[in-house]
Amino acid sequence: MRCLLFCLAVPFVFVSAFAQEPNEITNSIGMKFVLIPKGTFTMGSPGREQGRLEDEVQHEVTISKEYYLGMHEVTQAQYEKMMGKNPSWFQDDKIAGDSGNHPVELVTWDDAVEFCRRLSELPEERKTGRVYRLPTEAEWEYACRAGSQTAYSLGDDPKSLGDYAWSKENSNDQTHAVGGKNPNAWGLYDMIGNVWEWCSDSYGEYPKGAGTDPAGPRKGSSRVIRGGSWSNKDAQCRSALRGRSGPWLLSFGFRVALSPSRELD
């Protein structure tokens, strides 16, 4: 009987240990990532949503693969470690205390991409096969919604937004240290407010009809930004709100995405 129980238990333990990626990981420079499940959601906003813009046309999107997304926006300290500089306005005498844990801002799209490249080239990251990148716009909204279909991941009424976001109403006109508010249902902090975040996509109209893993148009003069910032009102921090900017402009921050080390079934 003892042998039978042991033989039955071993295969189960082996499968459970290796069948899935960890829900959270921390990389070699201390950045934390949350595993985002694959799934299907409605991207965009309904016509009745307060503050809705014309380019938020609703359509069904399937995210066919799991991916990791930064638990926090990239901080000034993390950016300086990889890039050797800190372009942020909100540092030194502009804020009280150490700005190292504030999100980096005044970053171009090209510099955000370069950050991902350099991070991927670190010896410790190469050993694990990790390749970092900016999230697509669809991945960003899917993670921001965290299973919700309301204007904000916390519901349609922004009255509790101050518990989750730094916006015009509570920011005192500056950024704040990442992770200072409540996370969304999937454990991601500051998905709305604090700083606008670059996505990988060029800006364009949404495709007509359902799509799988959309990545935006191949060419375009502007890139997508998402999430609103410390200087935006509540309606500009909605899950569906789209922004765009020339990739050379120094105005925004970002968070980093990462595909799992192997494909999952």
Side-chain angles (χ1 to χ4, degrees):
M1 176 63 74
R2 181 180 302 172
C3 179
L4 177 60
L5 290 174
F6 176 79
C7 293
L8 290 173
V10 169
F12 174 78
V13 171
F14 178 83
V15 172
S16 65
F18 294 97
Q20 60 184 3
E21 298 281 340
N23 289 329
E24 294 183 12
I25 61 172
T26 302
N27 72 7
S28 62
I29 67 167
M31 297 174 68
K32 296 181 182 296
F33 292 82
V34 175
L35 185 65
I36 307 301
K38 59 187 175 182
T40 299
F41 77 112
T42 302
M43 190 171 181
S45 63
R48 66 181 182 277
E49 187 167 298
Q50 187 173 1
R52 182 183 188 271
L53 300 178
E54 292 182 358
D55 63 354
E56 298 172 18
V57 178
Q58 285 193 310
H59 59 294
E60 184 180 280
V61 170
T62 296
I63 304 296
S64 68
K65 300 175 183 178
E66 293 178 319
Y67 62 99
Y68 284 103
L69 190 63
M71 183 182 293
H72 306 110
E73 295 159 328
V74 175
T75 67
Q76 294 181 26
Q78 291 164 348
Y79 188 86
E80 187 167 11
K81 185 177 183 67
M82 297 307 307
M83 304 294 282
K85 60 182 179 181
N86 181 4
S88 303
W89 171 260
F90 292 109
Q91 56 176 315
D92 302 329
D93 61 338
K94 306 294 191 308
I95 62 170
D98 181 14
S99 68
N101 206 35
H102 284 229
V104 69
E105 15 88 19
L106 300 185
V107 174
T108 68
W109 184 88
D110 290 326
D111 280 343
V113 171
E114 177 63 12
F115 175 95
C116 294
R117 188 194 69 80
R118 293 188 187 187
L119 183 59
S120 301
E121 289 299 311
L122 290 177
E124 296 87 346
E125 304 307 312
R126 288 174 62 88
K127 286 179 184 177
T128 59
R130 294 173 182 163
V131 178
Y132 297 91
R133 57 182 174 82
L134 294 178
T136 66
E137 184 180 15
E139 288 175 334
W140 190 97
E141 184 172 326
Y142 178 62
C144 180
R145 289 188 175 281
S148 70
Q149 280 298 310
T150 48
Y152 312 92
S153 64
L154 54 113
D156 284 316
D157 191 339
K159 65 181 180 182
S160 299
L161 192 65
D163 294 331
Y164 293 84
W166 295 109
S167 66
K168 182 68 173 177
E169 279 71 17
N170 65 351
S171 70
N172 196 28
D173 292 330
Q174 67 170 63
T175 63
H176 290 263
V178 300
K181 295 293 186 178
N182 294 335
N184 71 10
W186 288 352
L188 300 166
Y189 293 82
D190 301 303
M191 287 297 290
I192 51 177
N194 222 0
V195 293
W196 285 98
E197 300 177 15
W198 287 112
C199 294
S200 62
D201 309 54
S202 292
Y203 177 86
E205 293 183 2
Y206 283 150
K208 293 179 173 60
T212 299
D213 301 324
R218 293 185 178 182
K219 296 181 180 180
S221 60
S222 57
R223 296 284 179 173
V224 174
I225 52 173
R226 284 301 203 111
S229 76
W230 57 269
S231 66
N232 293 116
K233 295 182 178 180
D234 290 347
Q236 295 171 302
C237 295
R238 295 176 297 107
S239 297
L241 183 79
R242 309 178 72 198
R244 53 178 163 172
S245 177
W248 58 86
L249 291 179
L250 299 165
S251 301
F252 313 111
F254 64 107
R255 76 178 66 218
V256 174
L258 169 67
S259 297
S261 57
R262 60 179 182 78
E263 298 297 334
L264 302 178
D265 297 328

